[in-house]
Amino acid sequence: MAEVFRAEAIFEAGDTHSVAIKRVLPALAHETMYRSMFEDEARLGMLLRHPNIVRVYDAREVAGTFIMIMELVDGTSLKDMLDAAHAREACMPVPTALHVIRDIAKGLDYAHVAADAEGTHLGIIHRDVSPHNVLLGKDGGVKLADFGLANAKVHQTLRSSELVGGKLGYLAPEVILQRPTDQRIDLFAAGIVLWEMLAGRRLFQGKDDAETVRNVVRKAIEPVSSFNRAVPPRVEAIVRRALDRNPDKRYRSARMLLEDVEEALGEIDRDVGPKDVSLLVGLHLAGKRQRARRLGGLDLLAQELDAFVHAAEGSEYDIGAAPLDPADFGGIMPSGVRPRPSDPPSRRPGDPDWYDPDR
């Protein structure tokens, strides 16, 4: 429903600061529901102040559309990094994966218990915790983004109870089965993210949406240690509890998940932290630059678009957009192609390996 630009905020004294500007897509700017949801996201974002949540500085109407001015995270998304790793079935180092999930849990714990200025509990549920919405900075920061699908008492948009928001491969079973939900659905999603970082592959992704949904509800969840022998029993137990399909057996709060992760890190690697995330981000971005130099700018764009469109067919984000004009892309896009956000990764030779569990 939106697009994001990198920009420079210019202050009265002449100082500048890099920011991100998120804008409602022009085609949706006059749609009441999308506009209202976007305003809800902005309103909530300006209330949240936490180092592990992307900050929203301001929101306003400009030239007939609605924008948010947001914190710019200079780095990459966890999805982009995992796509490259999963193409090689590479695993993230266990301590670093735990550090990332620790920071995600910190952000969720803050959001789940947040209150307004009068002390009223906001009742926030993110509902879209996934690698897409975890941003990793070159400085090693880990930030949870995009509260556009969140539940919160400050929201004004009236949504249908039958509306299922979020990415299918990261939904909790009770969401798909349309049973009552609470903040524990965010913890199930965090468990999926942790499993995928440690296993070097997707957990529930199927060949199509229907299979993905069935997998979330019924697929046997293999122990992550069967894919990564470096995962100790203590960490396996954390993953297993977070992924329990019975919400009553799952972690009851992000604080409980955070405490278990902290204890595990105390046994495995007390010194892991932002420097380790920074190293992985640097390796990942260096690999992308290397491919860009090897392929050349237009060739790389053509390859990325081809993989993007191919992977999107039948994906969970097949939104049926209108065909784009090939001229908009320098003539490299085949006529009639409908690019859509996609989930499945594409293999990218030359990506540096993070971790080999056999070493």
Side-chain angles (χ1 to χ4, degrees):
M1 59 182 283
E3 53 192 347
V4 182
F5 301 87
R6 182 181 184 127
E8 294 295 320
I10 304 173
F11 298 94
E12 289 182 358
D15 297 334
T16 63
H17 182 69
S18 295
V19 295
I21 294 180
K22 188 173 183 178
R23 181 178 73 169
V24 175
L25 289 173
L28 301 177
H30 301 292
E31 294 280 347
T32 303
M33 185 184 74
Y34 289 110
R35 170 66 178 262
S36 180
M37 288 175 64
F38 200 79
E39 291 176 349
D40 281 345
E41 180 184 0
R43 188 181 305 107
L44 180 61
M46 286 188 286
L47 287 173
L48 301 177
R49 295 287 184 271
H50 190 272
N52 297 118
I53 294 176
V54 174
R55 184 171 178 180
V56 177
Y57 298 124
D58 194 6
R60 61 184 65 186
E61 187 169 336
V62 176
T65 190
F66 196 72
I67 67 169
M68 277 186 275
I69 298 97
M70 308 173 70
E71 175 184 7
L72 176 72
V73 180
D74 187 12
T76 189
S77 68
L78 181 59
K79 178 188 185 299
D80 195 43
M81 186 178 284
L82 290 183
D83 278 356
H86 290 177
R88 307 181 313 278
E89 297 186 358
C91 308
M92 187 181 285
V94 174
T96 310
L98 287 175
H99 171 71
V100 170
I101 214 69
R102 171 173 61 184
D103 278 359
I104 293 173
K106 287 179 180 178
L108 287 175
D109 178 52
Y110 167 84
H112 287 172
V113 302
D116 63 16
E118 286 72 40
T120 303
H121 182 234
L122 294 175
I124 298 171
I125 307 174
H126 188 283
R127 303 192 72 88
D128 199 14
V129 176
S130 69
H132 310 63
N133 292 328
V134 176
L135 304 184
L136 308 176
K138 292 177 182 177
D139 61 357
V142 178
K143 294 181 181 284
L144 188 61
D146 202 342
F147 281 74
L149 293 176
N151 282 0
K153 292 179 180 177
V154 293
H155 284 352
Q156 296 178 6
T157 309
L158 184 61
R159 307 183 194 182
S160 168
S161 61
E162 296 180 355
L163 178 66
V164 176
K167 296 164 187 67
L168 297 182
Y170 299 90
L171 295 180
E174 57 266 37
V175 175
I176 292 174
L177 297 173
Q178 294 187 305
R179 294 174 179 168
T181 60
D182 57 23
Q183 293 160 336
R184 289 172 293 182
I185 65 172
D186 288 345
L187 306 182
F188 188 87
I192 299 173
V193 173
L194 179 57
W195 191 99
E196 293 182 350
M197 286 191 290
L198 294 173
R201 65 198 67 216
R202 293 291 305 274
L203 176 54
F204 293 127
Q205 181 69 31
K207 64 180 183 296
D208 55 32
D209 288 355
E211 184 176 45
T212 299
V213 168
R214 286 194 298 269
N215 287 344
V216 170
V217 177
R218 296 201 300 250
K219 179 184 177 182
I221 300 174
E222 296 184 65
V224 70
S225 55
S226 65
F227 300 101
N228 183 348
R229 292 191 296 275
V231 175
R234 180 70 176 268
V235 176
E236 185 76 71
I238 292 173
V239 176
R240 186 168 58 249
R241 184 174 182 184
L243 289 176
D244 201 306
R245 286 189 170 94
N246 182 347
D248 293 333
K249 295 181 180 180
R250 203 178 299 157
Y251 285 104
R252 293 195 302 275
S253 68
R255 172 60 56 177
M256 293 178 65
L257 170 61
L258 175 60
E259 290 173 352
D260 274 7
V261 170
E262 292 274 17
E263 289 183 12
L265 279 173
E267 297 176 1
I268 298 170
D269 187 349
R270 293 180 180 274
D271 297 325
V272 69
K275 67 183 186 304
D276 300 277
V277 174
S278 178
L279 174 61
L280 293 190
V281 171
L283 287 172
H284 174 66
L285 295 179
K288 295 186 75 170
R289 287 194 297 270
Q290 183 183 46
R291 291 194 303 279
R293 286 195 299 268
R294 184 171 63 249
L295 295 172
L298 274 179
D299 287 343
L300 176 64
L301 180 58
Q303 183 194 66
E304 293 289 292
L305 282 170
D306 180 67
F308 179 79
V309 174
H310 176 74
E313 295 298 334
S315 77
E316 63 201 37
Y317 268 79
D318 183 341
I319 60 174
L324 298 181
D325 185 352
D328 293 342
F329 294 86
I332 62 176
M333 179 179 287
S335 178
V337 164
R338 299 186 303 170
R340 288 153 287 195
S342 58
D343 217 33
S346 58
R347 179 171 292 280
R348 297 175 178 176
D351 287 331
D353 286 332
W354 299 337
Y355 177 67
D356 182 352
D358 292 328
R359 291 179 185 172

